[in-house]
Amino acid sequence: MVELLETLKSHPPFSYLDEISFKRIEKSAQVAYYPNDTILISSSKKPEVLYFIIKGTVEAASEDEMIDFYHSNDSFGGIELLENRAPEYDYKVTEELICYEIPEETFIDIAERNEAFKHYFFSSIVERIDLLREKREFTLMSDIMVARVDENIIRQGTRVSSQMDITEALHRMEEEKSSCLIVDNAEGYGIITDADLRHFILHKEDEELELVSQIQTYPIITAGKTELLFNILLKMTEHSIKHLPLLDNQGTFAGVVELTDLLSYFSNQSYLISVQMDKAHDLEGVIASAKRVPMMIEALHTKGVKSRYIVKLVSEINKKMYQKIFDLVVPRSWHEKSALILLGSEGRNEQIMRTDQDNALIFEEGFEPEDAQEVTERFIEVLDEIGFPRCNGGVMILNEKWRKSLSAYKSDIERCLEHPDYEGLMDLAILFDSVAVAGNTLLHEEVKTYLMKGIASNHSILTHFARAIETFESPLGLFSRFVSKDRDHMGEIDIKKGALFALVHGCRALALEYGIKATNTTLRIKELNNAGFIDKESATELMEALEVLNTFRLHAQIEKSHKEVTVDNYITVEKLSKLERDLLKDALKSVDMFRKLVVHHFHLGIVG
């Protein structure tokens, strides 16, 4: 029983309770078993206990229509007990059930004494997502505690002789972009850091400082190259040092760990990746640092960082990555005569996990490089090696449709506006959600301005443009039941087609109407609020719905990457807890209300 109670403590809302409350539960709660088809609570009678499922499945149904289902670690009956009423549905066992039963008196008394516990049962969408983060917050700590030194966290350090002239050593340090000097002595190593260099600058004349040996710190504190990272952090903290030299098994210098890199590793590795990307001088360096991004994403997600903050970090790192690849792969003669742009989710700064490539090139008028196919093929191959899947729709610089002159883009825009069809309008949507990351960015600005002016002078096109919002149905059916119509993905829902597309495209169409230049959906929602299209409460609800949808998608994508299966946009509903399912339903309802608002606003019901 004690072991079972420990499981209870790790799940909201029980995680809010103190030891006194758990002692009360331990004394009064019972473990019960029910076979299949048992009616636990009927819609005609108030429950007498709160149920917490240890094992098995329970369905809530109304007239044989399933409304919801509950499995391990879910609880039910709480709202009915707090409101002293019968439930709206029947609760029936569909898979042999083992559960806790917490008596009504105990449950009510604990709820009255603990506001957070009681409030959980009536929490809103914004509050529930905070609860969801709390549930996942510290699950990475065990991995961090046993992590050892990684090659990517080691800096080489500049080695110099103890008899070298200090000025000469500083020139070496500058050439190699090092933050410290490792000094070779007859017996062991010394180190020179910024503190030693300050001493040299202030006292070089009065102390006649000339040789490296005169300003080094000797002997130095070291650690083994295979030491635990946590032990290294403890040693650096204990001695108040920012640089710790590492020695291999033979006692030979093997590199330096810097405090900034170490702290970055323990937080999210973003600083380390960014520095590595900045310092990369070849494609191998770019690829190595870019491959660390998924690890950073998982660390941030597990700690409960909002997906919109993760995506900002990932977008900044990816922009640096694209700039580096552009500099290293694309000939110098192209740099002032072309612009590399990112499209789709990358253009909106909304891609977290690497789902597909979406990129294009705009050439200055009259510039037609003969080696375009060869260069773009190499560019895409680098992205392949990093782990970006190729776009199935061909929205890549390999495709001549997305690698053409400024005038060719303008001609395509004109054609789409004069003769709108689904494919052409989707191309406009892709182009509208774009950002320039390298080359002559003025070319991109001209294309975006031309597109927005074309829309402004042909306002009726917006209705046709917005109509794509009706392309996909919501996965939420009657009685708020999840509906999965894809035979290859039974029990799963496509979060992108079923919800994200409607929200993203609706905001995109409205952004075109209101002349909003921002590409990011969250920023567009804020601008629509500023423009008076939606009120602040609705804007907040939509932003939180977007956060929920992206969080669930990211969680599922991380799980699939662990299993080395295709990363897609499907999430398995049956694996979600009751809290998560309720949260997802609220988000889907918010998107559906927004979809109806857009349909009404653009009069889509009368579009032919």
Side-chain angles (χ1 to χ4, degrees):
M1 184 71 174
V2 174
E3 185 177 338
L4 294 175
L5 279 171
E6 288 300 317
T7 300
L8 193 69
K9 290 179 180 180
S10 63
H11 295 279
F14 299 97
S15 53
Y16 291 121
L17 300 181
D18 55 23
E19 285 301 320
I20 295 174
S21 297
F22 275 109
K23 289 290 184 183
R24 291 201 59 191
I25 292 174
E26 185 178 2
K27 287 181 180 180
S28 60
Q30 295 184 352
V31 177
Y33 165 81
Y34 295 97
N36 287 355
D37 300 324
T38 302
I39 304 296
L40 291 176
I41 312 174
S42 70
S43 57
S44 60
K45 185 180 179 181
K46 184 175 75 73
E48 297 178 352
V49 298
L50 175 77
Y51 295 90
F52 182 89
I53 299 177
I54 299 170
K55 185 179 180 181
T57 306
V58 174
E59 288 186 1
S62 176
E63 297 180 355
D64 296 326
E65 177 72 29
M66 189 183 78
I67 306 303
D68 210 341
F69 61 94
Y70 303 79
H71 50 59
S72 298
N73 304 320
D74 287 346
S75 60
F76 57 93
I79 292 178
E80 291 83 358
L81 289 172
L82 290 169
E83 295 185 345
N84 194 30
R85 61 172 176 83
E88 299 175 10
Y89 320 113
D90 293 330
Y91 290 81
K92 179 181 178 181
V93 177
T94 54
E95 182 182 316
E96 289 186 319
L97 180 70
I98 301 174
C99 64
Y100 287 123
E101 291 183 342
I102 301 175
E104 178 181 8
E105 182 181 351
T106 302
F107 171 71
I108 295 294
D109 188 54
I110 289 174
E112 293 303 323
R113 294 171 181 271
N114 191 311
E115 190 64 31
F117 178 78
K118 181 179 180 180
H119 186 65
Y120 164 86
F121 296 94
F122 304 98
S123 55
S124 67
I125 182 173
V126 178
E127 294 163 332
R128 285 177 188 172
I129 196 168
D130 290 335
L131 293 172
L132 186 60
R133 287 195 198 95
E134 182 181 294
K135 184 179 176 181
R136 296 172 176 164
E137 190 171 8
F138 299 109
T139 56
L140 268 189
M141 276 310 292
S142 58
D143 292 335
I144 288 175
M145 295 294 285
V146 298
R148 295 189 182 275
V149 175
D150 187 301
E151 285 293 337
N152 288 289
I153 205 174
I154 300 176
R155 299 190 182 227
Q156 294 305 309
T158 298
R159 291 180 63 177
V160 295
S161 165
S162 62
Q163 298 305 303
M164 180 179 284
D165 181 83
I166 296 173
T167 303
E168 182 184 349
L170 289 176
H171 281 300
R172 283 274 308 278
M173 187 177 179
E174 175 65 20
E175 288 172 4
E176 298 180 19
K177 305 295 182 185
S178 299
S179 60
C180 67
L181 292 167
I182 302 300
V183 184
D184 286 324
N185 295 282
E187 295 183 7
Y189 298 101
I191 189 170
I192 295 175
T193 65
D194 51 358
D196 302 308
L197 294 175
R198 282 197 302 272
H199 180 84
F200 167 67
I201 293 169
L202 294 173
H203 303 284
K204 61 181 176 179
E205 293 180 357
D206 57 296
E207 296 184 13
E208 298 181 354
L209 302 175
E210 295 179 358
L211 301 178
V212 163
S213 59
Q214 293 176 282
I215 64 169
Q216 69 174 327
T217 298
Y218 176 86
I220 56 173
I221 299 163
T222 63
K225 189 179 178 182
T226 59
E227 182 60 87
L228 291 172
L229 281 177
F230 191 75
N231 289 343
I232 287 178
L233 179 60
L234 287 176
K235 182 173 285 191
M236 296 178 81
T237 304
E238 177 186 355
H239 296 283
S240 300
I241 56 177
K242 297 179 181 178
H243 304 80
L244 183 66
L246 302 177
L247 305 180
D248 62 18
N249 293 334
Q250 285 73 45
T252 304
F253 172 72
V256 178
V257 171
E258 295 189 8
L259 185 60
T260 51
D261 295 341
L262 191 60
L263 293 176
S264 173
Y265 185 94
F266 278 101
S267 58
N268 55 53
Q269 305 188 49
S270 59
Y271 173 80
L272 175 61
I273 295 170
S274 183
V275 168
Q276 288 178 333
M277 191 70 75
D278 284 335
K279 292 188 174 183
H281 299 298
D282 50 33
L283 288 174
E284 287 72 21
V286 174
I287 293 168
S289 55
K291 282 185 174 181
R292 297 179 68 86
V293 172
M295 190 189 309
M296 179 196 77
I297 293 171
E298 183 174 352
L300 290 170
H301 172 68
T302 307
K303 290 177 183 179
V305 177
K306 286 189 174 185
S307 64
R308 57 175 171 262
Y309 298 139
I310 299 176
V311 79
K312 285 182 180 179
L313 199 55
V314 173
S315 296
E316 289 305 312
I317 293 173
N318 283 350
K319 284 177 184 177
K320 290 184 179 182
M321 176 197 73
Y322 278 106
Q323 289 163 358
K324 284 286 186 178
I325 299 174
F326 186 85
D327 289 341
L328 293 168
V329 172
V330 176
R332 288 287 167 187
S333 59
W334 289 34
H335 287 203
E336 293 301 318
K337 298 180 179 180
S338 65
L340 174 66
I341 63 175
L342 304 182
L343 309 164
S345 58
E346 286 188 288
R348 294 192 305 274
N349 290 339
E350 291 174 2
Q351 187 180 92
I352 304 181
M353 297 295 282
R354 296 159 183 163
T355 50
D356 59 4
Q357 299 180 28
D358 288 299
N359 44 63
L361 276 171
I362 305 172
F363 290 137
E364 185 181 89
E365 205 57 42
F367 180 64
E368 299 178 1
E370 294 181 358
D371 55 348
Q373 191 65 31
E374 178 185 342
V375 171
T376 54
E377 179 68 51
R378 179 60 184 137
F379 190 97
I380 297 301
E381 285 174 352
V382 174
L383 293 177
D384 289 342
E385 194 168 345
I386 290 171
F388 283 88
R390 298 196 179 194
C391 175
N392 292 330
V395 185
M396 298 181 292
I397 59 176
L398 276 178
N399 186 345
E400 291 184 2
K401 179 180 179 179
W402 298 100
R403 186 186 76 223
K404 56 195 176 190
S405 68
L406 179 62
S407 62
Y409 278 102
K410 290 182 177 180
S411 296
D412 284 349
I413 291 170
E414 288 177 6
R415 186 164 50 253
C416 290
L417 294 177
E418 290 174 4
H419 306 287
D421 58 21
Y422 182 80
E423 183 179 351
L425 291 170
M426 282 297 95
D427 286 347
L428 291 184
I430 291 169
L431 193 57
F432 183 49
D433 291 352
S434 62
V435 61
V437 291
N440 185 356
T441 59
L442 294 176
L443 295 170
H444 173 253
E445 287 182 23
E446 190 168 341
V447 169
K448 282 286 288 281
T449 301
Y450 193 82
L451 170 59
M452 296 186 75
K453 284 184 177 178
I455 295 287
S457 61
N458 186 4
H459 205 267
S460 62
I461 196 70
L462 281 172
T463 302
H464 296 281
F465 184 87
R467 194 182 186 190
I469 201 172
E470 298 183 308
T471 306
F472 304 110
E473 295 181 6
S474 170
L476 209 56
L478 292 174
F479 304 106
S480 298
R481 182 180 180 183
F482 293 111
V483 178
S484 178
K485 296 182 178 179
D486 192 332
R487 293 182 179 179
D488 295 329
H489 294 273
M490 296 306 295
E492 297 181 312
I493 60 173
D494 189 328
I495 206 71
K496 180 178 180 179
K497 290 181 179 180
L500 283 172
F501 179 80
L503 183 51
V504 168
H505 190 67
C507 290
R508 181 163 48 208
L510 291 164
L512 273 170
E513 180 180 10
Y514 282 87
I516 297 169
K517 292 184 178 180
T519 58
N520 180 264
T521 302
T522 297
L523 294 179
R524 283 172 173 171
I525 292 171
K526 290 180 180 179
E527 289 296 324
L528 289 171
N529 169 232
N530 294 337
F533 179 79
I534 50 177
D535 58 37
K536 187 173 182 179
E537 184 179 350
S538 298
T540 300
E541 191 172 309
L542 280 178
M543 287 189 290
E544 289 300 334
L546 179 62
E547 174 70 25
V548 169
L549 298 172
N550 280 327
T551 298
F552 280 121
R553 180 171 68 161
L554 175 58
H555 191 69
Q557 288 175 341
I558 289 173
E559 285 189 341
K560 288 172 184 176
S561 68
H562 282 174
K563 297 175 182 177
E564 298 184 348
V565 298
T566 303
V567 175
D568 53 29
N569 297 294
Y570 286 92
I571 63 172
T572 306
V573 179
E574 293 176 353
K575 291 184 178 180
L576 303 179
S577 68
K578 180 64 168 59
L579 169 63
E580 291 168 329
R581 292 197 303 275
D582 288 347
L583 194 58
L584 180 56
K585 287 179 181 180
D586 285 345
L588 293 173
K589 288 175 183 176
S590 296
V591 172
D592 203 40
M593 287 178 64
F594 176 69
R595 185 205 305 258
K596 291 174 181 176
L597 177 63
V598 173
V599 169
H600 174 74
H601 177 75
F602 287 109
H603 308 292
L604 300 186
I606 60 173
V607 178

